[in-house]
Structure formats: C-alpha cells, structure tokens
Amino acid sequence: MNVQEQIKKYITSQPEPKRSDMQELHRITLQVLPECKLWFLDGKNSENKTISNPNIGYGFHTIKYADGKTREFYQIGLSSNKTGISVYILGVKDKTYLAQTYGKKLGKASVSGYCIKFKTLKDINIDILEAAIRYGFENK
C-alpha cells in the first residue's frame, strides 16, 4: 500500500464529523503546497507497539540533534486524537510564535510551541489555520 492509499484509509477510518474535517484539512494542506512530499506514520515502533497516534505528514525538513546526527521528517503533521484533531507545525524556532501570532485569532483551539489542537473545524477560523500551515512550510 502506497502513502496516498494509507492516508486515504486512515482518513476514511475516522468517525464523522472528524472524517470530513480531516479530509478538508488534507485538501487545504495540499492546496498550500501541492507538490510536497507526503508521509504516513502508523504510530508503531520497530516492535509493532503503538507509541503515538497515526500521523499524516507534509513537506520535508531535517532535524539536527545536539550530537550532530540528523533525521528526515515532515514539516506539517495531521493527526486524529481522542478529543479532536492536532495539526503539528514543526521546525519553528521561536516556540512562542504560533500561540502569539495565531492563538487568539484561531477560535476554540489550544496552541503550543508546535501543535494546534481543536475539537472540530467549525470551532476554528480555517483561514487563520491555513495561514499557520503556510507559515510552517515557508519558515523551515
């Protein structure tokens, strides 16, 4: 199964209204950066143990660790969680930027240094979320 098939299966496995919200977020993210690399992480480690929620990833950046080692990873992530949806915007150097810039304008969402969580798309301003996603792609 290729990445696009894994993503489709993951999104369609979600209950409504989360399924429609995730499909819309997938469409919006691909609209922002249509030629981006797609990722799918099933949330399992090398021993097939579940260690996180599955994630859809978009884009590409390199994480550099203190020991000098690097790892390839996505820039923007999308994941379903027990209470709603998480959008991850990775590689932002200033960990207060997302909350300060987008937090108050987003609506009913919690914003950390790299994660925007909300229950449903109708609770947030989609244009502001799209601006945050665009920022994540442009400022890696």
Side-chain angles (χ1 to χ4, degrees), residues 9-136:
K9 183 178 177 184
Y10 175 58
I11 291 173
T12 58
S13 74
Q14 302 302 312
E16 286 295 351
K18 196 181 290 187
R19 178 184 318 142
S20 294
D21 286 353
M22 290 189 66
Q23 186 62 49
E24 179 64 6
L25 285 168
H26 182 62
R27 185 194 67 74
I28 289 167
T29 306
L30 290 175
Q31 183 178 307
V32 171
L33 194 66
E35 300 300 318
C36 70
K37 177 178 177 165
L38 290 174
W39 304 66
F40 184 76
L41 299 149
D42 64 7
K44 296 182 180 183
N45 67 10
S46 58
E47 288 128 33
N48 210 30
K49 272 184 147 177
T50 300
I51 57 171
S52 71
N53 291 325
N55 281 256
I56 301 169
Y58 306 87
F60 176 86
H61 82 125
T62 303
I63 299 170
K64 190 168 189 174
Y65 296 99
D67 65 3
K69 292 183 180 177
T70 60
R71 178 179 174 205
E72 297 175 351
F73 211 64
Y74 56 75
Q75 291 169 268
I76 306 296
L78 174 60
S79 181
S80 170
N81 59 54
K82 288 181 183 176
T83 60
I85 298 171
S86 296
V87 175
Y88 304 101
I89 301 177
L90 305 177
V92 178
K93 290 180 181 37
D94 179 353
K95 298 302 175 200
T96 64
Y97 183 82
L98 291 177
Q100 288 179 352
T101 306
Y102 305 106
K104 290 179 182 168
K105 298 183 239 176
L106 263 168
K108 292 182 189 176
S110 67
V111 184
S112 72
Y114 66 93
C115 182
I116 299 170
K117 288 184 188 177
F118 50 92
K119 187 171 182 169
T120 178
L121 277 179
K122 69 179 184 200
D123 292 339
I124 64 165
N125 183 324
I126 296 172
D127 291 337
I128 300 299
L129 181 61
E130 183 177 340
I133 290 169
R134 190 174 304 283
Y135 174 82

